[in-house]
Amino acid sequence: MEKKTEQWATKLGFILSSAGAAVGLGAIWKFPYMTGMNGGGAFFFIFVLFTLLIGLPLLIAEFVIGRGAQKEAVTAYQKLAPKKSIFSFIGHWGVVGAFILMSFYSVVGGWVLIYSLMSIPGMVIKNGADYGALFDTITGSPLLTVAGLAAFVLLNSFVISNGIQNGIEKYSKILMPLLFIFFLIIVVRSLTFEGAMEGVRFFLQPDFSQLNRENILYALGQAFFSLAVGISVMVTYSSYLAKNVSLTTSAASVSIMNIIVSLLAGLAIFPIVFSFGLEPTEGPGLLFVVLPEAFSQMPFGELFLSLFLFLFLFAILTSSFSMLEIITSSINEKVKASRKQIAWVAGLAVFIFGIPAALSSNVLADFHIFGKTAFDASDFLVSNIMLPVGCLFIALFVGFKMNRTLVEQEFHAGNHFSNGLFQVWYQILRWIATVTIVIVFLYSLGVLL
């Protein structure tokens, strides 16, 4: 007997959960340092443009597949794709990608969890502290990194084991509003410092003379991956959605929320960086090294650092929920076991697979795969190969292989948009998005120099 498919209790719950899936390391950790290293305001402008013109059409495509099939990722493609077609394997590709991504993503999640807990008693900010050394101490400890990984996966397994309405939706409704509230508090605080407006100008005033082809492609990649498209997470999420909800407006809401979080991240970080004479081009250490130094110079710095770290933790959790959900739901469709059992077993598998990545900065630092640590190799495999290939096949599938009548029905369901808008979206997906994805993929592999 076919298992009953769960549904979101509300449209708001679906939008917040989907936004939570998109908002995570990419928006809060990677976006600010990528912006700082690639031209500031001009990079942000191009990022927004690509998010709306490329990312949004792909997000709608994943929504169309999921609700059109009313099945999780693996079964959805098998149901909609021609039999024995290469497209029937896209779901499996996404599940494997989500599993690998979740394994090293949880390592960073563990770091943030450790920092968050340390920030409560004031163990992060200390007089004369060397924040680079503190970060190295945490990531250099096998016990701390593996314990952080275990705790982060444990939190995810608990939420996913409780299902859609009582798990993902329930906690996303709490965590996402808190994320925005915390962000607003920190933005207001950061804007009060002397010299803060210099940081705002750097972030929001485009200087297109700073742009080159590399900056533009980085902006495209950031927009591309920031919406969580490519591993069919959104296919699974939209499969739980009622037929009377507009996919297009939901996708637009998620995209806009993602842009707003990126905007808030920039407004929270760059005014602080410029106020204290720090470098916006610091890179990946911006969050863990530069920000604690900046917060240490503020009144009530411990409080604001703690708020920021917990905000970051919330964002990572809502994003990781989606990764574990696609794994759990695909197994739940095929195996005669309860969701709770599958979620905990899947979490255990992620933990075990993530141990080499957790140990990459300590005991396994000298172990390399194709010249990369286990952590970096996993990151490269997912970010540079699995995500763009997944996006390409999704665009090709919806644009050329999926039943066009069903595509139109799902696009128009729940709204009154004209057929002209459908045609615009359909042609962008078929041609502009497809060509752009190929360019980004080839560039990331070094084929295009």
Side-chain angles (χ1 to χ4, degrees):
M1 185 175 71
E2 190 176 82
K3 293 188 179 183
K4 183 179 179 181
T5 301
E6 292 188 75
Q7 285 198 332
W8 302 105
T10 64
K11 176 183 176 181
L12 177 62
F14 166 68
I15 291 174
L16 289 177
S17 299
S18 298
V23 173
L25 285 177
I28 300 177
W29 176 56
K30 189 176 181 181
F31 173 77
Y33 82 72
M34 288 295 288
T35 302
M37 296 174 68
N38 290 283
F43 180 89
F44 179 55
F45 178 84
I46 299 298
F47 161 76
V48 172
L49 191 66
F50 282 146
T51 296
L52 297 176
L53 293 181
I54 306 297
L56 176 56
L58 279 164
L59 183 58
I60 295 172
E62 288 207 20
F63 281 176
V64 165
I65 295 167
R67 197 178 62 183
Q70 290 281 283
K71 293 291 182 182
E72 44 67 45
V74 171
T75 312
Y77 290 102
Q78 293 175 340
K79 180 178 179 179
L80 299 176
K83 289 185 177 180
K84 297 183 178 179
S85 162
I86 189 173
F87 294 101
S88 64
F89 294 97
I90 302 175
H92 290 98
W93 182 268
V95 171
V96 172
F99 182 83
I100 298 172
L101 177 58
M102 178 75 180
S103 68
F104 71 84
Y105 194 100
S106 297
V107 174
V108 183
W111 297 345
V112 178
L113 183 59
I114 292 168
Y115 262 77
S116 300
L117 295 176
M118 289 177 65
S119 72
I120 298 175
M123 294 172 62
V124 176
I125 292 180
K126 295 180 180 179
N127 291 331
D130 183 337
Y131 297 106
L134 175 62
F135 180 66
D136 291 340
T137 298
I138 291 174
T139 58
S141 166
L143 179 61
L144 280 177
T145 53
V146 173
L149 167 67
F152 188 81
V153 173
L154 187 71
L155 285 172
N156 276 272
S157 298
F158 171 75
V159 171
I160 299 303
S161 68
N162 284 293
I164 300 303
Q165 294 185 16
N166 294 321
I168 298 173
E169 184 169 3
K170 176 182 176 181
Y171 290 97
S172 292
K173 281 182 174 180
I174 298 170
L175 295 180
M176 287 305 292
L178 279 176
L179 186 151
F180 280 98
I181 292 170
F182 279 15
F183 244 142
L184 288 172
I185 292 172
I186 293 171
V187 167
V188 170
R189 185 69 185 93
S190 70
L191 293 175
T192 62
F193 290 105
E194 184 178 349
M197 287 304 106
E198 186 180 349
V200 174
R201 282 192 294 271
F202 171 81
F203 178 49
L204 296 182
Q205 186 172 301
D207 179 2
F208 292 106
S209 66
Q210 298 294 315
L211 280 182
N212 54 41
R213 186 180 68 164
E214 187 175 79
N215 299 149
I216 293 171
L217 287 171
Y218 279 151
L220 177 60
Q222 180 66 26
F224 190 58
F225 300 129
S226 68
L227 287 176
V229 291
I231 53 174
S232 298
V233 162
M234 296 305 188
V235 171
T236 299
Y237 269 28
S238 59
S239 70
Y240 307 132
L241 193 60
K243 289 288 186 179
N244 62 346
V245 175
S246 169
L247 297 182
T248 49
T249 55
S250 297
S253 298
V254 172
S255 300
I256 291 169
M257 287 178 71
N258 191 57
I259 291 172
I260 290 173
V261 169
S262 298
L263 173 67
L264 291 175
L267 290 176
I269 291 174
F270 290 116
I272 295 174
V273 169
F274 278 81
S275 294
F276 291 97
L278 304 171
E279 289 296 326
T281 56
E282 177 68 24
L286 190 65
L287 177 73
F288 296 107
V289 179
V290 173
L291 281 184
E293 182 177 333
F295 279 116
S296 70
Q297 300 177 54
M298 301 180 188
F300 307 106
E302 290 183 5
L303 172 63
F304 284 105
L305 177 62
S306 184
L307 283 176
F308 189 90
L309 288 170
F310 275 100
L311 172 157
F312 190 33
L313 179 62
F314 293 166
I316 294 178
L317 280 170
T318 55
S319 187
S320 59
F321 291 163
S322 66
M323 300 175 208
L324 191 56
E325 172 59 23
I326 186 177
I327 300 167
T328 301
S329 61
S330 63
I331 299 173
N332 192 40
E333 183 71 22
K334 308 294 183 183
V335 176
K336 292 182 179 179
S338 69
R339 165 181 272 271
K340 286 184 180 293
Q341 292 171 325
I342 294 169
W344 287 108
V345 171
L348 178 62
V350 167
F351 167 71
I352 294 172
F353 194 82
I355 290 175
L359 299 178
S360 290
S361 52
N362 39 74
V363 297
L364 293 182
D366 295 327
F367 173 75
H368 290 86
I369 305 171
F370 299 109
K372 300 179 184 296
T373 65
F375 183 97
D376 291 336
S378 299
D379 187 5
F380 180 85
L381 176 62
V382 174
S383 301
N384 293 44
I385 297 176
M386 300 199 74
L387 282 176
V389 169
C391 282
L392 177 61
F393 274 96
I394 288 166
L396 291 172
F397 176 62
V398 177
F400 294 96
K401 289 295 182 181
M402 187 172 168
N403 183 286
R404 178 162 173 160
T405 301
L406 178 58
V407 173
E408 287 193 64
Q409 287 175 351
E410 291 299 331
F411 184 91
H412 288 298
N415 61 53
H416 303 287
F417 295 139
S418 66
N419 192 56
L421 185 60
F422 168 79
Q423 292 294 340
V424 170
W425 165 75
Y426 199 59
Q427 296 309 319
I428 288 176
L429 185 71
R430 284 163 63 100
W431 306 111
I432 298 177
T434 302
V435 171
T436 305
I437 292 166
V438 171
I439 292 173
V440 173
F441 182 50
L442 294 178
Y443 182 81
S444 69
L445 295 179
V447 177
L448 296 179
L449 301 177

